[in-house]
Amino acid sequence: MPISEARVPTRRPGRYLTQLGRHAQAIGHRPGHGGHDAGGASQPHPRMLRVEQSDTTATLEFDRGRCTLDAEPDALVLRIEAPDATSLAQLERLIGSDLERFGNRDQLTVTWHRSDDHRDGDPDHHGGEHDRHGGDHDHHGGDRDQHGGDHPHGPGDAHAQGGDHGHAHRHGGVWGRVRHALVPHSHDSADRVDTALENSRRGVRTLVFSFLALSATAVVQLVVVLFSGSVALLGDTVHNAADSLTALPVGVAFVLGRRAATRRHTYGLGRAEDLAGVVVVLVIAASAVLAGYAAVRRLLDPQPVHQLWVVAAAGVIGFAGNELVARWRVTVGRRIGSAALVADGLHARADGFASLAVVLGAAGVAVGIPLADPVIGLAITVGIAFVAVDAARQVFGRLMDAVDPGTVAAIERAAAGTDRVDRAYDVRVRWVGHSLRAELAVAVDATLPVGAAHRIAHEVEHRLIHAIPRLAAAIVHTEPADAGPAHRALAHHRTAAAPA
Ligand SMILES: [Zn+2]
Ligand SMILES: [Zn+2]
Ligand SMILES: [Zn+2]
Ligand SMILES: [Zn+2]
């Protein structure tokens, strides 16, 4: 049985062992894992069957072959056994390229050494250099670079439909693919996929909880407003009611955003989140106008405030309700990577302090300053107005496709770092709901066949998905260093469209 071994010196062998084992478990190297379709076309990829793993050793069992990994103190030692040379070469490429990608920062290099007695009559073996990188087999001619039917392009698969990459997960099948496409996920390991599923449920649950908690707070406060006549408390109540209502459109966006793309909505309905954001801004602005109007009227026409202790208690309840919601939102938002939820949480925290101002107003009235109540009411209104402006800025940024410029730089860096990519540029990236989609161009060797260039494009996409948080898909345009002639024909259509 052909055997190949690699000794990879590293200070963190255990870490890479764990990472590789998890990746194998999560993905299974089947046809359809977009980043790993570089194998021979003559034979389908080895299929992942089983992973056994401890802290220092792991065994990846494939239908044609097996890889054992051992974490030694200063190196990760890999050993592949396969029934034939082709399977051996495929496993070398799959495992080697994954490990090199994981170890990119430590500049890990995997060099395979085959047992000498198997060198003869091995058509696939050209010595270490060529077998390390799946894409380097252009010298085999045509059939190496064709799809051989195992590339996941075509109707009915996740890659073509959702723009999502075609990882086939352990749970496999149609349901697995649908789930992979619909649920926000990190695909590095099986447990995180499950956690991601749990997370999105937690996200919705958090919204429901926030809605209930803030509604209850507002109802209790409203009762106190009615018999006390405090406009400061009115402002706080209106604010809390508006905030609880904001959960409704966001909840709708969560549900709609997970719908699959259709031929009418080819990017899915993720942008419902932005629309919901516009509604939120309008609701907050309207609540600011209402609270401001009440406070100004009271300044012009002072009225007594009754039951000051109860008003103060209602302020404390407002603080407690908001702080509870804030903690819940920030924690869950950070975990599922929803900036919107984190921002909502910080907002609720600020609101909690606005509620405490109601207590201050009641104290002022108690010591003989009746204007304290409407003044605090106005201050709360100003607070609501700031919140509205801030939310508006964020939502309009989304509507105008604004992203963090650092994300663009990170995409350029990760793409340019891909094997055989000379340059990466013309990056466009935007949010659709809470995932990012990117387009970019990469310069490659002009003499590469289409198949090889296509593989590079998907390697770039795969690297980006791993490197850029929340990136769901990237469309990569490969072109030769001198793309001038092809681009000149289009030049008169491209005035201000391209980013600098
Ligand atoms: Zn608020
Ligand atoms: Zn493709
Ligand atoms: Zn991957
Ligand atoms: Zn081009």
Side-chain angles (χ1 to χ4, degrees), residues 87-107:
S87 303
L88 190 68
Q90 286 175 327
L91 288 174
E92 282 176 347
R93 276 195 293 274
L94 288 172
I95 295 161
S97 68
D98 265 344
L99 186 54
E100 285 181 352
R101 203 178 60 246
F102 293 144
N104 190 32
R105 221 192 306 161
D106 295 345
Q107 294 172 332

Side-chain angles (χ1 to χ4, degrees), residues 477-479 483 486-487:
H477 173 75
T478 53
E479 56 185 29
H487 287 181

Side-chain angles (χ1 to χ4, degrees), residues 425-426 441-442 477-480 483 486-487 490 494:
Y425 45 94
D426 283 357
V442 296
H477 173 75
T478 53
E479 56 185 29
H487 287 181
L490 277 165
R494 306 220 199 278

Side-chain angles (χ1 to χ4, degrees), residues 217-218 221-222 224-226 228-241 287-288 290-299 303-308 310-316 318-319 322 351-366 369-384:
T217 304
Q221 289 185 315
L222 182 64
V224 179
V225 167
L226 290 180
S228 71
S230 163
V231 289
L233 188 58
L234 172 67
D236 196 43
T237 304
V238 165
H239 186 169
N240 286 331
S287 71
L290 177 62
Y293 172 75
V296 168
R297 238 182 54 164
R298 184 62 59 86
L299 275 177
Q303 301 281 330
V305 177
H306 312 284
Q307 307 282 354
L308 288 173
V310 185
V311 171
V316 171
F319 172 79
N322 275 298
D351 288 354
F353 289 99
S355 296
L356 282 185
V358 172
V359 181
L360 205 67
V365 175
I369 314 167
L371 279 185
D373 187 60
V375 166
I376 293 289
L378 260 189
I380 289 177
T381 303
V382 172
I384 307 176

Side-chain angles (χ1 to χ4, degrees), residues 423-495:
R423 230 153 52 77
Y425 45 94
D426 283 357
V427 173
R428 291 181 183 85
V429 56
R430 62 165 139 190
W431 288 96
V432 177
H434 45 274
S435 60
L436 285 166
R437 281 163 191 278
E439 299 165 39
L440 66 152
V442 296
V444 299
D445 181 351
T447 62
L448 287 177
V450 171
H454 174 243
R455 276 203 298 269
I456 293 173
H458 279 297
E459 270 161 32
V460 169
E461 181 182 19
H462 198 177
R463 267 180 76 98
L464 290 177
I465 288 171
H466 280 269
I468 310 296
R470 316 308 307 167
L471 183 77
I475 293 171
V476 183
H477 173 75
T478 53
E479 56 185 29
D482 178 23
H487 287 181
R488 227 161 279 142
L490 277 165
H492 61 285
H493 290 290
R494 306 220 199 278
T495 45

Side-chain angles (χ1 to χ4, degrees), residues 147 151 153 159 454 458:
H147 283 293
H151 188 87
H153 280 212
H159 177 93
H454 174 243
H458 279 297

Side-chain angles (χ1 to χ4, degrees), residues 33-362:
H33 186 185
H36 299 290
D37 59 351
S42 50
Q43 196 171 330
H45 291 294
R47 183 184 289 266
M48 186 80 225
L49 296 180
R50 203 166 37 250
V51 178
E52 278 164 36
Q53 194 168 358
S54 75
D55 285 348
T56 54
T57 176
T59 306
L60 318 181
E61 199 83 49
F62 296 84
D63 62 342
R64 281 175 292 112
R66 160 196 311 156
C67 177
T68 52
L69 302 96
D70 283 294
E72 295 188 354
D74 56 351
L76 184 62
V77 178
L78 303 100
R79 178 187 163 94
I80 299 175
E81 297 166 45
D84 56 83
T86 308
S87 303
L88 190 68
Q90 286 175 327
L91 288 174
E92 282 176 347
R93 276 195 293 274
L94 288 172
I95 295 161
S97 68
D98 265 344
L99 186 54
E100 285 181 352
R101 203 178 60 246
F102 293 144
N104 190 32
R105 221 192 306 161
D106 295 345
Q107 294 172 332
L108 290 194
T109 314
V110 183
T111 311
W112 295 103
H113 298 282
R114 297 190 181 178
S115 306
D116 277 330
D117 35 312
H118 293 286
R119 266 185 188 278
D120 298 334
D122 175 358
D124 244 277
H125 186 234
H126 300 277
E129 203 50 37
H130 283 299
D131 289 328
R132 261 173 42 206
H133 298 290
D136 274 342
H137 285 260
D138 307 319
H139 58 287
H140 281 289
D143 68 320
R144 276 276 168 194
D145 291 312
Q146 281 156 17
H147 283 293
D150 68 350
H151 188 87
H153 280 212
D157 73 55
H159 177 93
Q161 279 194 334
D164 210 331
H165 56 293
H167 284 203
H169 279 254
R170 199 172 41 152
H171 38 75
V174 174
W175 167 236
R177 282 179 170 231
V178 168
R179 202 161 72 161
H180 186 89
L182 300 191
V183 174
H185 66 283
S186 158
H187 60 288
D188 237 354
S189 64
D191 49 325
R192 263 203 275 162
V193 170
D194 288 346
T195 319
L197 193 73
E198 157 82 352
N199 279 345
S200 69
R201 279 199 193 127
R202 284 188 67 184
V204 174
R205 223 188 297 149
T206 303
L207 290 173
V208 173
F209 170 84
S210 302
F211 173 71
L212 293 177
L214 285 176
S215 302
T217 304
V219 167
V220 170
Q221 289 185 315
L222 182 64
V223 172
V224 179
V225 167
L226 290 180
F227 68 77
S228 71
S230 163
V231 289
L233 188 58
L234 172 67
D236 196 43
T237 304
V238 165
H239 186 169
N240 286 331
D243 280 350
S244 77
L245 286 181
T246 59
L248 286 182
V250 174
V252 169
F254 252 83
V255 175
L256 286 181
R258 286 198 261 144
R259 290 260 180 90
T262 64
R263 288 185 69 84
R264 178 172 293 278
H265 298 280
T266 52
Y267 286 94
L269 299 176
R271 295 209 114 175
E273 201 166 315
D274 299 341
L275 258 187
V278 172
V279 174
V280 167
V281 168
L282 292 178
V283 168
I284 296 176
S287 71
V289 170
L290 177 62
Y293 172 75
V296 168
R297 238 182 54 164
R298 184 62 59 86
L299 275 177
L300 301 177
D301 177 22
Q303 301 281 330
V305 177
H306 312 284
Q307 307 282 354
L308 288 173
W309 280 111
V310 185
V311 171
V316 171
I317 288 173
F319 172 79
N322 275 298
E323 180 60 24
L324 195 66
V325 167
R327 284 187 189 190
W328 198 293
R329 283 175 177 171
V330 169
T331 309
V332 175
R334 291 226 167 103
R335 199 157 300 165
I336 68 174
S338 168
L341 202 54
V342 172
D344 275 355
L346 296 177
H347 169 173
R349 179 153 294 156
D351 288 354
F353 289 99
S355 296
L356 282 185
V358 172
V359 181
L360 205 67

